[in-house]
Amino acid sequence: MFGISIVPSILLALGMAVSPESPRWLFQQGKLSQAETAIKKLYGREKVAEVMYDLKAASQGSSEPDAGWLDLFSKRYWKVVSVGAAMFLFQQLAGINAVVYYSTSVFRSAGIASDVAASALVGAANVFGTMIASSLMDKQGRKSLLITSFSGMAASMLLLSLSFTWKALAPYSGPLAVAGTVLYVLSFALGAGPVPALLLPEIFASRIRAKAVALSLGMHWVSNFFIGLYFLSVVNKFGISTVYLGFASVCALAVVYIAGNVVETKGRSLEEIERALSSAS
């Protein structure tokens, strides 16, 4: 099992070896010709002059040094930093890892005894949803995908909760639980899974980007740790139906939060988003 994980690691290393370097980083290092080559590979020859102009304008317009950790909590940056951290907090508190951890038990209740088949079904839903998300992200926008994703997750969690408690659904509880689990994972992969990691570098100003992304990802792993640590204990105390209902509530709260606080970044360069955020604040 551990040996198999070497294969995707090697594939990723080979892919990164032929991937172009960040044009922004090359520009900051003074490697202008290499930056133009990278832009040509990423965006096409016709975009070279436009992107180089944006990079020059951004470098001339900002002479501020990189922010310190305390700057993230200043009035100037706190709102956007809190949005980034909240995205990963909602992602984990919505229950994705708990659902995956518990999926084999759900499938067994539906008569699917094979853990391999259960894992394969969940994985297939995740891959399929991610493929759809990758094709829609630049068409529908990040914000709309997030709202659709968390809405679908809330509905799926409600279905899971009802399948365990509503007596009228008792004869169909197994198949409904499987359907709810698959729909939940599919909804997660449509937005809540891939979009936050893409959104963070787009909403953070250049001088806080590195530290703000690190803080947001830290929130991700801390919340992931506590979900994994206490999930079964909470289930044993309150019951799986109540826990799933709690996850549904978190998803609904995420929809409200995203609608009011997340900015749409579709079709904007990093510099355009940074200017928009600066003017808004």
Side-chain angles (χ1 to χ4, degrees):
M1 181 181 69
F2 290 121
I4 291 174
S5 65
I6 296 173
V7 176
S9 302
I10 292 174
L11 292 175
L12 180 60
L14 293 174
M16 292 307 299
V18 297
S19 176
E21 182 58 85
S22 162
R24 182 169 287 97
W25 183 83
L26 291 170
F27 183 87
Q28 291 171 346
Q29 304 304 309
K31 302 177 180 179
L32 302 185
S33 60
Q34 294 180 42
E36 291 178 351
T37 301
I39 293 168
K40 190 184 303 181
K41 289 182 179 179
L42 290 168
Y43 306 112
R45 184 186 300 272
E46 67 279 359
K47 284 282 188 177
V48 172
E50 179 185 343
V51 176
M52 287 296 290
Y53 176 82
D54 284 342
L55 292 175
K56 291 175 183 176
S59 65
Q60 293 171 358
S62 178
S63 58
E64 294 180 287
D66 288 345
W69 286 103
L70 292 179
D71 292 326
L72 301 182
F73 305 98
S74 66
K75 182 178 179 180
R76 179 180 177 184
Y77 294 121
W78 168 242
K79 182 177 181 180
V80 69
V81 171
S82 65
V83 168
M87 286 297 94
F88 280 105
L89 186 62
F90 280 126
Q91 183 193 73
Q92 294 303 306
L93 294 183
I96 178 59
N97 287 309
V99 169
V100 172
Y101 298 155
Y102 204 70
S103 61
T104 52
S105 298
V106 170
F107 286 113
R108 284 173 190 163
S109 71
I112 301 176
S114 172
D115 291 348
V116 174
S119 298
L121 189 55
V122 170
N126 202 350
V127 171
F128 181 66
T130 303
M131 291 173 62
I132 295 175
S134 66
S135 64
L136 293 179
M137 214 167 286
D138 286 326
K139 295 178 181 178
Q140 301 298 322
R142 286 77 157 125
K143 184 174 181 176
S144 62
L145 276 182
L146 283 172
I147 291 175
T148 301
S149 176
F150 277 107
S151 298
M153 291 161 66
S156 302
M157 275 296 174
L158 185 59
L159 177 61
L160 278 167
S161 180
L162 292 175
S163 70
F164 286 104
T165 57
W166 203 359
K167 292 182 180 180
L169 297 177
Y172 317 103
S173 61
L176 285 176
V178 171
T181 299
V182 172
L183 287 174
Y184 176 88
V185 174
L186 181 63
S187 297
F188 175 85
L190 282 174
V195 172
L198 173 67
L199 192 68
L200 295 190
E202 294 182 336
I203 64 174
F204 292 144
S206 299
R207 68 185 300 262
I208 67 166
R209 188 170 296 135
K211 290 182 175 64
V213 169
L215 179 67
S216 300
L217 291 177
M219 180 68 71
H220 166 88
W221 289 112
V222 169
S223 54
N224 185 347
F225 170 77
F226 282 107
I227 288 288
L229 185 64
Y230 292 112
F231 173 67
L232 289 180
S233 300
V234 174
V235 168
N236 291 333
K237 185 172 182 178
F238 298 103
I240 188 64
S241 178
T242 302
V243 173
Y244 280 165
L245 191 60
F247 287 148
S249 301
V250 171
C251 292
L253 182 62
V255 171
V256 175
Y257 180 86
I258 291 165
N261 294 278
V262 175
V263 297
E264 181 55 72
T265 60
K266 180 187 72 171
R268 293 177 170 182
S269 69
L270 297 179
E271 287 71 31
E272 289 172 337
I273 296 167
E274 187 172 327
R275 286 193 294 267
L277 289 169
S278 297
S279 62
S281 61

